[in-house]
Amino acid sequence: MSGRRWRSRPGRGARSVQAGQAIVWAAVMLPLFLSVVGLTIDEGIVFDARRELQNVADSAARAGAMQVDQQAYRASSGATVVLDQAAARQVAAEYAASQGQGLAATIAVEPQRVVVQASREVPTSFLRLVGITSVRVSATASAEVRYGIDRPNR
């Protein structure tokens, strides 16, 4: 009976070692997991801001491209469709300015096309921990002047 008293129960020591390993594993992996979640959140914020900025650039370019020079159009009996460049630049700039503060827009107007380049600083949440407080996103859009209804060739 005395020999039996000194024997340890099978598996009891192994369980305590496994529990200790699990705690160490969790302590090592938790910061990594939180970093991945934080970076994913910041990435979503930046991609969403980029998509919204692309919509602003597209809309500003389209608004500018709708400014047809009516005098040139009428003088050519509808054969020549060109932009009123001053009006196109003004309308595109007004649209971009109406879309919130912090938006920087560059507008280039050609006789047949309006190009809008927009950029904005997007604040980060998780990356602030490493000193990155914002990320600059940019978008470019181009729109050509059209008048009337375009029908595909059949």
Side-chain angles (χ1 to χ4, degrees):
M1 188 157 160
S2 65
R4 203 170 166 189
R5 208 172 42 184
W6 293 104
R7 286 190 209 163
S8 63
R9 294 184 193 163
R12 186 173 193 195
R15 281 188 208 143
S16 64
V17 169
Q18 288 175 350
Q21 287 175 345
I23 290 172
V24 170
W25 182 254
V28 169
M29 295 305 289
L30 186 62
L32 178 64
F33 176 72
L34 292 176
S35 298
V36 169
V37 169
L39 288 173
T40 303
I41 290 170
D42 276 348
E43 179 183 26
I45 291 169
V46 169
F47 281 151
D48 185 50
R50 169 67 173 79
R51 181 185 48 81
E52 288 177 10
L53 191 62
Q54 185 65 54
N55 288 339
V56 168
D58 288 339
S59 298
R62 273 189 243 118
M66 292 190 322
Q67 306 307 309
V68 174
D69 186 346
Q70 295 292 329
Q71 290 178 345
Y73 182 73
R74 289 185 181 136
S76 69
S77 299
T80 304
V81 180
V82 294
L83 282 174
D84 179 350
Q85 293 185 13
R89 179 174 279 111
Q90 180 183 356
V91 168
E94 286 173 358
Y95 184 84
S98 72
Q99 298 303 308
Q101 295 190 3
L103 177 71
T106 303
I107 300 158
V109 180
E110 301 168 4
Q112 296 293 323
R113 181 168 89 147
V114 177
V115 178
V116 177
Q117 294 178 329
S119 64
R120 173 181 280 159
E121 290 288 327
V122 177
T124 60
S125 55
F126 180 77
L127 288 173
R128 289 178 189 266
L129 297 175
V130 293
I132 301 172
T133 59
S134 65
V135 175
R136 181 168 276 300
V137 294
S138 61
T140 301
S142 174
E144 293 183 7
V145 64
R146 296 278 188 254
Y147 192 78
I149 299 173
D150 286 339
R151 292 190 180 173
N153 296 334
R154 292 184 184 192

